[in-house]
Amino acid sequence: MYQEMTIASATPVVDDESQQSAWASARIARRMDTETRVWLRASLLPEFDASNSLNGLKRRLAQKGFYLAKSNAGIVLRDCHSRVEICTLEALGVSAYALERRFADA
């Protein structure tokens, strides 16, 4: 599911010294502050709404530097550069079940 790709300028900046994106701190913090959550929702929810298929959603997220993956927590959003788990879809206000139903026929 992961492919090497260019991270769009709307995503956090990559630190050239450590070769980690700003999302790498999620590995340590294991929680997201309110401002970051609001930024992610504002940035990504339009991509979820505009997508007509799962492949279309994957392309749209990849253009912003993210991808979806399965984990013990359900479907999660990950950073393409560092592969760090950012948050669950539910944390973004997206129901994985609703997405599955919506894209079932697509």
Side-chain angles (χ1 to χ4, degrees), residues 68-78 85 87-90 96:
L68 299 176
K70 290 183 181 180
S71 83
N72 292 338
I75 305 296
V76 296
L77 184 71
R78 289 184 175 260
E85 185 176 305
C87 64
T88 64
L89 288 186
E90 286 74 18

Side-chain angles (χ1 to χ4, degrees), residues 70-101:
K70 290 183 181 180
S71 83
N72 292 338
I75 305 296
V76 296
L77 184 71
R78 289 184 175 260
D79 172 44
C80 286
H81 180 75
S82 64
R83 299 185 187 178
V84 167
E85 185 176 305
I86 310 289
C87 64
T88 64
L89 288 186
E90 286 74 18
L92 289 176
V94 175
S95 165
Y97 177 72
L99 272 183
E100 184 179 323
R101 285 185 29 216

Side-chain angles (χ1 to χ4, degrees), residues 10-32:
T11 60
V13 177
V14 175
D15 178 3
D16 289 334
E17 273 185 34
S18 66
Q19 288 300 305
Q20 292 185 348
S21 73
W23 298 113
S25 63
R27 186 176 300 156
I28 298 166
R30 290 282 183 220
R31 63 183 184 167
M32 190 181 316

